[in-house]
């Protein structure tokens, strides 16, 4: 099917804006054909997932675009990469791998990308506005942008993202269009009392359940409290985009496209209705762990997605109230974050307090892509539904999902110790 192109699109495709732009536009047009879109549309921001070095092909692609004069046309941020750019030697990253990762990062910077290096771009620089058309990669960022901010993006894959940033164009289809953003199934939280929502373990546990029920459909959730914080919604979305392929959810009375159920479904009826009980939440919580309480602990990993300044502040409060006030020998405690949260930490005493407990910080990177977890680790603990979902397969470890407080206590005691779920007796 022929794609309707405007004059500038056609010029780009004909090579009048340089070789890199021609290549990028050819990818955008081909993608439009595959998706059966009939025309392209503009985006005004991009977030690049392909910036992290994964293969020589990815490096070659980035350097080819940069050498061909590729420049992004819209403000473009970078997702995490495979190493802490300041301090990668501390994490046993091989020299040759680091050299290629740094080259790839430079290629993206040369194209005009902003070196944010974070998987939580919505909590930092250039947070998109409601209704803004954007092209974002990284699953947790996509679901947050669509659901919590009401910006509009599909879940874009590696290498397409930079082509869209260079051309400022994407196929006109999917979640960019109002009619494709309506809810498809209704999830009702039934008889779930306030104390469950107050427990931070609820948000990843519910997200994990949400993803497994919704798959790639758009769920509308009834019963979430309207006071949910950015960090709680971040945890929910990241887990839902891991166990499922959720790119957009609506929280009735909470998220901007769902002031009520009718609006969330744009007047249509849900295809199905699923009731969620406290028992279902308990099962989902249990499902996020492969190890057991009492296991000897090798590492705690927090910051998946990257920790915000508010999360660090809470972490330090917990560290200060903990006895003993230091890490158990043999346990590694790593928190991953982005440059902006780190810069705020540097302006406070929090950085020193984290270090004095034995917490290591890693910037710019990811638990699954950088050897943050020691190679000999067998049991790790996390407060992240996403990390808990992927770590057993990707890192070959047993994982225990717990609250931030559980992680701190376990790190000090050297074994997994979690507070009982108070929801069980609800
Ligand atoms: Fe970010 Fe990696 Fe977790 S991209 S969300 S730290 S798996």
């Amino acid at each position: 099917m022929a794609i309707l192109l405007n004059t500038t699109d056609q010029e780009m495709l004909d090579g009048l804006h340089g070789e890199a732009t021609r290549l990028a536009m050819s990818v955008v047009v081909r993608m439009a054909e595959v998706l059966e879109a009939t025309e392209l549309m503009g985006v005004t921001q991009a977030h690049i997932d392909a910036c992290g070095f994964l293969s020589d092909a990815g490096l070659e692609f980035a350097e080819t675009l940069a050498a061909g004069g590729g420049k992004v046309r819209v403000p473009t941020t970078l997702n995490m990469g495979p190493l802490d750019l300041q301090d990668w030697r501390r994490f046993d990253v091989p020299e040759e791998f680091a050299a290629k990762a740094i080259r790839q990062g430079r290629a993206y910077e040369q194209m005009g990308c902003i070196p944010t290096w974070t998987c939580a771009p919505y909590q930092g620089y250039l947070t998109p506005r409601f209704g803004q058309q954007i092209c974002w990669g990284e699953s947790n960022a996509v679901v947050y942008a669509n659901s919590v901010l009401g910006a509009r993006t599909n879940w874009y894959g590696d290498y397409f993202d930079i082509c869209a940033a260079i051309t400022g164009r994407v196929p006109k289809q999917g979640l960019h269009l109002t009619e494709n953003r309506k809810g498809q199934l209704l999830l009702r939280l039934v008889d779930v009392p306030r104390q469950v929502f107050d427990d931070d373990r609820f948000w990843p546990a519910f997200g994990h359940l949400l993803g497994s029920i919704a798959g790639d459909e758009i769920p509308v959730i009834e019963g979430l409290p309207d006071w949910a914080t950015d960090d709680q919604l971040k945890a929910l979305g990241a887990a839902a985009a891991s166990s499922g392929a959720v790119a957009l959810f609506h929280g009735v009375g909470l998220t901007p496209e769902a002031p009520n159920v009718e609006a969330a479904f744009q007047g249509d009826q849900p295809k199905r209705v699923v009731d969620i009980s406290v028992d279902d939440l308990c099962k989902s919580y249990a499902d996020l762990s492969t190890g057991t309480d009492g296991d000897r602990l090798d590492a705690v990993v927090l910051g998946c997605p990257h920790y915000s300044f508010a999360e660090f502040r809470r972490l330090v409060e917990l560290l200060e109230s903990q006895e003993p006030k230091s890490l158990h020998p043999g346990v590694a405690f790593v928190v991953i974050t982005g440059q902006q949260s780190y810069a705020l930490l540097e302006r406070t005493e929090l950085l020193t307090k984290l270090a004095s407990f034995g917490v290591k910080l890693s910037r710019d990177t990811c638990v699954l892509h950088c050897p943050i977890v020691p190679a000999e680790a067998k049991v790790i603990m996390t407060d992240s539904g996403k990390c808990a979902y992927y770590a057993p397969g990707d890192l070959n470890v047993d994982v225990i999902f717990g609250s931030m407080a559980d992680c701190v206590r376990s790190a000090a005691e050297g074994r997994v110790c979690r507070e009982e779920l108070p929801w069980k007796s609800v």
Side-chain angles (χ1 to χ4, degrees), residues 202-259:
F202 162 77
W203 301 91
F206 175 59
H208 180 65
L209 181 61
L210 179 66
S212 63
I213 293 172
D216 62 357
E217 292 186 306
I218 301 172
V220 175
I221 308 153
E222 206 176 26
L224 286 174
D226 62 4
W227 46 259
T229 66
D230 293 354
D231 288 323
Q232 289 167 336
L233 294 172
K234 170 171 81 170
L236 188 166
S242 302
S243 59
V246 176
L248 165 63
F249 67 83
H250 298 297
V252 177
L254 174 65
T255 60
E257 291 167 74

Side-chain angles (χ1 to χ4, degrees), residues 49 79-80 118-120 138 140 238 303-306 336 365-369 384 386-387 390:
D49 194 31
N79 203 41
M80 61 76 203
T118 182
C119 57
E138 169 52 44
N140 98 83
C304 170
H306 284 177
I336 324 165
T365 191
C366 168
V367 55
L368 304 180
H369 291 89
S384 158
K386 179 171 180 175
C387 179
Y390 285 116

Side-chain angles (χ1 to χ4, degrees), residues 64-210:
T64 299
L65 288 172
K71 293 281 179 211
V72 295
R73 282 176 183 251
V74 295
T76 300
T77 47
L78 295 181
N79 203 41
M80 61 76 203
L83 75 178
D84 180 327
L85 287 159
Q86 298 67 215
D87 212 5
W88 54 269
R89 285 192 173 83
R90 195 161 52 108
F91 291 99
D92 289 336
V93 177
E95 296 270 342
E96 190 191 352
F97 179 89
K100 288 181 176 178
I102 291 166
R103 263 173 58 194
Q104 185 158 324
R106 290 214 177 106
Y108 280 97
E109 286 175 30
Q110 197 183 325
M111 289 189 270
C113 299
I114 303 160
T116 44
W117 296 107
T118 182
C119 57
Y122 42 84
Q123 288 186 314
Y125 194 64
L126 283 177
T127 305
R129 301 182 305 276
F130 178 79
Q132 188 174 355
Q133 298 286 1
I134 62 177
C135 171
W136 274 23
E138 169 52 44
S139 63
N140 98 83
V142 167
V143 68
Y144 192 99
N146 275 317
S147 314
V148 181
L149 304 176
R152 297 184 173 204
T153 179
N154 291 312
W155 182 347
Y156 285 108
D158 285 12
Y159 313 124
F160 177 83
D161 47 17
I162 184 62
C163 294
I166 288 172
T167 58
R169 306 286 279 169
V170 295
K172 190 173 180 181
Q173 55 87 237
L175 295 177
H176 290 289
L177 307 179
T178 302
E179 62 270 27
N180 296 330
R181 298 175 66 84
K182 65 180 161 195
Q184 293 167 303
L185 67 149
L186 178 62
L187 266 81
R188 298 188 298 204
L189 288 158
V190 179
D191 296 331
V192 177
R194 164 88 193 217
Q195 71 189 94
V196 175
F197 301 122
D198 283 339
D199 185 332
D200 273 352
R201 292 172 290 184
F202 162 77
W203 301 91
F206 175 59
H208 180 65
L209 181 61
L210 179 66

Side-chain angles (χ1 to χ4, degrees), residues 3-43:
I3 311 295
L4 185 64
L5 300 178
N6 68 24
T7 307
T8 311
D9 293 339
Q10 192 62 56
E11 284 177 3
M12 289 193 226
L13 195 58
D14 292 343
L16 300 183
H17 295 259
E19 174 52 22
T21 306
R22 186 205 61 74
L23 175 59
M25 184 50 101
S26 72
V27 170
V28 172
V29 169
R30 179 68 189 121
M31 185 64 89
E33 289 166 356
V34 169
L35 295 171
E36 300 183 350
T38 54
E39 59 185 304
L40 306 183
M41 60 180 287
V43 288

